[in-house]
Amino acid sequence: MDKVVIWGIKKNPPELVPEISKKYEIIGWIDKNKDFQNSFINDLKVYSPDELQALSFDKVIVGAAIYTGTRQIVEECLNRGIKREHIITDYVLKTTD
């Protein structure tokens, strides 16, 4: 089972964790918001994007709710050396809230 981190908390509710857990081993969250960093959501630690390289994972699941946020996260992952085929956008919420 591939290990994943989920990038983005604010618009990707923790309720998706059980669904994602059916296919992947979730090792934590990534979020730029310092208010979330070093806390735990669904017993999973929230890391800063700067900690990403130190984590052992296979893929990143994008947790943005809208296309614009998704594009920004994908670009940041690519800039950090993560290959496009290791970035999953299947769980992006179809909402503009």
Side-chain angles (χ1 to χ4, degrees):
M1 187 176 284
D2 284 338
K3 292 182 180 181
V4 299
V5 292
I6 303 172
W7 189 315
I9 296 168
K10 188 174 181 182
K11 296 290 184 177
N12 190 354
E15 293 83 35
L16 285 179
V17 169
E19 180 182 344
I20 294 169
S21 294
K22 291 177 187 174
K23 288 180 70 174
Y24 304 102
E25 178 185 346
I26 305 169
I27 63 165
W29 300 89
I30 302 293
D31 204 278
K32 286 184 168 184
N33 186 329
K34 292 185 188 311
D35 292 336
F36 290 126
Q37 293 170 6
N38 294 311
S39 65
F40 288 81
I41 297 176
N42 284 40
D43 296 322
L44 299 167
K45 186 174 179 182
V46 181
Y47 298 93
S48 154
D50 293 334
E51 296 176 278
L52 194 60
Q53 304 297 34
L55 299 174
S56 177
F57 64 92
D58 301 301
K59 298 179 180 182
V60 174
I61 293 179
V62 175
I66 56 175
Y67 177 73
T68 304
T70 299
R71 187 176 62 224
Q72 291 170 346
I73 293 171
V74 168
E75 286 178 21
E76 185 150 357
C77 287
L78 293 171
N79 289 339
R80 291 176 181 274
I82 299 167
K83 295 179 181 178
R84 180 61 185 99
E85 59 267 21
H86 295 167
I87 303 169
I88 301 168
T89 57
D90 296 350
Y91 296 94
V92 173
L93 298 177
K94 309 298 188 243
T95 181
T96 56
D97 293 1

